Amino acid sequence: MLRIEKLNFAYGDLKVLWDVDLEVRQGEIVTVVGANGAGKSTILKNVSRLVRASSGSLRFNDVDLLRMASHEVVGLGIVQVPEGRRIFPEMTVLENLRMGSFVKATRKDRERNVERAFTLFPRLKEREKQLGGTMSGGEQQMLAIARGLMGNPKLLLLDEPSLGLSPLLVKNIFEIIKEINRQGTTILLVEQNVYQSLHVSSRAYVLETGRVVLSGTGAELLANAHVKKAFLGM
Ligand SMILES: Nc1ncnc2c1ncn2[C@@H]1O[C@H](COP(=O)(O)OP(=O)(O)OP(=O)(O)O)[C@@H](O)[C@H]1O
Ligand SMILES: [Mg+2]
């Protein structure tokens, strides 16, 4: 579905990605794990075209993404939930959700998608009239993911969905990620919660200072000595 080959990227003089190869097949949950500053978000930003690679190949179902602008990528069904919780603080939960179906083709599904979001996140239903900015951090994270789903994504890009959440909520968010995937959305996830994310992943990549140093199934990487030492404190 998504194939990244020999992707190189620099912010000005700062080279951040080096020959990154990464593939996401339909139906998978694929995770990129790595330390702060490794370049995880930069990979997602290249896919969603928020930044533009200097060289390499980036294809989505045989469409060349390198030639596309970010709004065109959304039209293909690639939706990014950004790092942090960029919801609209002055809008209610329901208004925030509706903003997620800004692409024309998804408008007809708007009310059905709102219902789907409320089923996945009952807490949002209870708070549909509350202003986004007054929601707790975890609730805002749920809202950001739910809003992403309003765009009928074929490929959902999630940037650190578990960041700053309590252990219980982390578990909950990963269960919801699995459920979203089970309902048919392919997911490319970036996480620092290596243990939880490898558990839900079909496959994963380890990124170190902009280079893919390891890849394999979630189970393989959980059992890998380097992963255990570098990320799991074992
Ligand atoms: N807009 C920017 N301008 C210049 N440098 C940037 C910019 N955005 C990111 N960087 C740098 O690029 C490198 C990779 O950043 P990136 O955000 O991709 O890392 P990350 O793996 O997502 O880290 P984190 O886990 O902290 O979110 C970092 O050294 C960062 O400082
Ligand atoms: Mg990041």
Side-chain angles (χ1 to χ4, degrees):
M1 184 177 230
L2 177 73
R3 188 187 288 274
I4 300 175
E5 282 172 333
K6 297 248 172 297
L7 186 71
N8 285 275
F9 180 81
Y11 291 104
D13 291 336
L14 179 71
K15 183 111 190 251
V16 174
L17 298 179
W18 308 75
D19 288 336
V20 169
D21 289 331
L22 186 155
E23 188 188 7
V24 183
R25 299 175 202 135
Q26 179 140 15
E28 286 188 320
I29 299 179
V30 171
T31 303
V32 179
V33 299
N36 290 116
K40 303 180 299 297
S41 299
T42 303
I43 292 178
L44 295 190
K45 285 176 189 163
N46 269 286
V47 176
S48 57
R49 312 308 294 137
L50 295 173
V51 299
R52 287 164 175 277
S54 41
S55 75
S57 153
L58 203 55
R59 304 187 72 81
F60 180 71
N61 292 333
D62 289 328
V63 178
D64 182 0
L65 295 182
L66 286 184
R67 296 165 174 279
M68 305 196 89
S70 54
H71 67 277
E72 295 173 309
V73 167
V74 177
L76 294 175
I78 300 177
V79 173
Q80 178 166 12
V81 177
E83 195 176 10
R85 299 140 184 153
R86 307 235 193 86
I87 53 136
F88 302 107
E90 303 297 333
M91 290 186 179
T92 67
V93 166
L94 188 57
E95 287 163 350
N96 265 281
L97 285 179
R98 291 196 169 135
M99 288 298 285
S101 42
F102 58 92
V103 173
K104 244 196 185 134
T106 66
R107 291 228 185 104
K108 61 175 175 14
D109 301 325
R110 184 178 272 170
E111 293 318 308
R112 192 171 54 90
N113 279 337
V114 166
E115 283 317 308
R116 178 186 175 210
F118 284 159
T119 306
L120 280 169
F121 300 97
R123 179 116 40 137
L124 297 182
K125 168 85 181 155
E126 290 161 19
R127 287 152 196 275
E128 65 178 293
K129 294 196 179 67
Q130 190 172 328
L131 291 184
T134 65
M135 304 271 282
S136 78
E139 290 164 354
Q140 290 188 29
Q141 188 62 275
M142 294 177 192
L143 181 54
I145 297 172
R147 191 182 57 188
L149 291 175
M150 295 293 293
N152 285 343
K154 294 192 178 84
L155 176 65
L156 186 65
L157 309 175
L158 294 175
D159 197 340
E160 306 216 20
S162 81
L163 191 72
L165 303 186
S166 68
L168 198 63
L169 212 48
V170 168
K171 203 160 161 272
N172 187 232
I173 283 281
F174 279 103
E175 273 162 17
I176 290 167
I177 289 169
K178 268 201 302 198
E179 177 59 21
I180 291 168
N181 177 251
R182 206 189 55 77
Q183 293 180 6
T185 305
T186 304
I187 295 174
L188 176 57
L189 175 70
V190 156
E191 261 295 342
Q192 285 194 57
N193 191 323
V194 174
Y195 185 75
Q196 295 273 0
S197 58
L198 290 183
H199 264 287
V200 304
S201 298
S202 328
R203 292 182 307 105
Y205 295 81
V206 177
L207 195 67
E208 281 178 12
T209 53
R211 289 180 174 85
V212 173
V213 295
L214 269 176
S215 64
T217 66
E220 280 165 1
L221 292 188
L222 276 171
N224 179 279
H226 178 70
V227 171
K228 281 185 175 169
K229 187 158 177 282
F231 298 108
L232 302 173
M234 291 159 83

